[in-house]
Amino acid sequence: MTDPGRPSVKPLDGSKRLPLLVGWRLRRARRRRRTGVLVFAEIREPVRSLTYKAGIVSVREEGVELCSRGRGAKTPRFIELPPGPHRLDFRVTRMKASRSTSFLQMVDLKEGEILVALCDPVQSNVFYRRSPDVDSWVIGVFPNWEKR
């Protein structure tokens, strides 16, 4: 059994199929030669559900929130970052602080690289697809895993 306070973090490679909107947003950012982070949270809870397990997915750098995704935000979000080293804090925050999870990731972005972060948080009111037992993240720098 996994620790509920620690999220599951896996590397993103070419074998994982990206959600349609993420692929579209990634192609758009690459065409414009942008550098940054692309965040997508797969939140399947209804907007009107009331639960203490409802999470807000966010990315922070040096204590400053770069972006957050909640139940009302169903699209991926791109955050422009300058090339160079970044210490990013990925977290899922819930009303009950004991249920929140986070982890730090050091990343050194080169010009034109995009860090793709996909999050599938624990969701209590999901009937049509089983929710994971722990918050799970899939993270990778594009184009390092690009199929050639």
Side-chain angles (χ1 to χ4, degrees), residues 83-94:
H86 297 277
R87 186 174 183 219
L88 300 175
D89 179 22
F90 297 89
R91 66 175 62 209
V92 178
T93 309
R94 295 184 178 81

Side-chain angles (χ1 to χ4, degrees), residues 62-77:
E62 310 267 337
V64 177
E65 186 174 288
L66 299 176
C67 92
S68 67
R69 310 310 289 158
R71 291 185 291 184
K74 302 293 184 186
T75 59
R77 175 88 187 266

Side-chain angles (χ1 to χ4, degrees), residues 26 29-30 34 36-38 78 109 112-116 140-142:
L26 183 62
R30 286 195 68 220
R34 297 172 78 185
V37 179
L38 182 63
F78 182 81
L109 293 175
E113 287 187 335
I114 299 170
L115 177 73
V116 178
V141 176
F142 191 85

Side-chain angles (χ1 to χ4, degrees), residues 24-142:
W24 178 80
R25 188 76 131 160
L26 183 62
R27 282 189 299 277
R28 184 175 167 200
R30 286 195 68 220
R31 269 195 314 268
R32 295 178 179 180
R33 301 188 196 290
R34 297 172 78 185
T35 304
V37 179
L38 182 63
V39 180
F40 179 69
E42 194 171 345
I43 300 176
R44 297 176 301 276
E45 284 189 25
V47 175
R48 294 184 184 170
S49 78
L50 296 173
T51 177
Y52 68 90
K53 289 186 178 180
I56 297 173
V57 175
S58 64
V59 178
R60 298 169 183 257
E61 182 178 28
E62 310 267 337
V64 177
E65 186 174 288
L66 299 176
C67 92
S68 67
R69 310 310 289 158
R71 291 185 291 184
K74 302 293 184 186
T75 59
R77 175 88 187 266
F78 182 81
I79 304 108
E80 188 95 29
L81 288 176
H86 297 277
R87 186 174 183 219
L88 300 175
D89 179 22
F90 297 89
R91 66 175 62 209
V92 178
T93 309
R94 295 184 178 81
M95 284 187 209
K96 283 193 170 183
S98 64
R99 303 275 184 184
S100 299
T101 62
S102 69
F103 71 96
L104 290 173
Q105 178 85 27
M106 289 295 295
V107 63
D108 188 13
L109 293 175
K110 295 177 183 68
E111 185 72 35
E113 287 187 335
I114 299 170
L115 177 73
V116 178
L118 308 174
C119 181
D120 193 3
V122 173
Q123 298 162 65
S124 60
N125 296 339
V126 178
F127 301 108
Y128 50 88
R129 185 173 145 209
R130 188 166 189 273
S131 174
D133 297 332
V134 295
D135 298 327
S136 60
W137 289 84
V138 179
I139 295 180
V141 176
F142 191 85

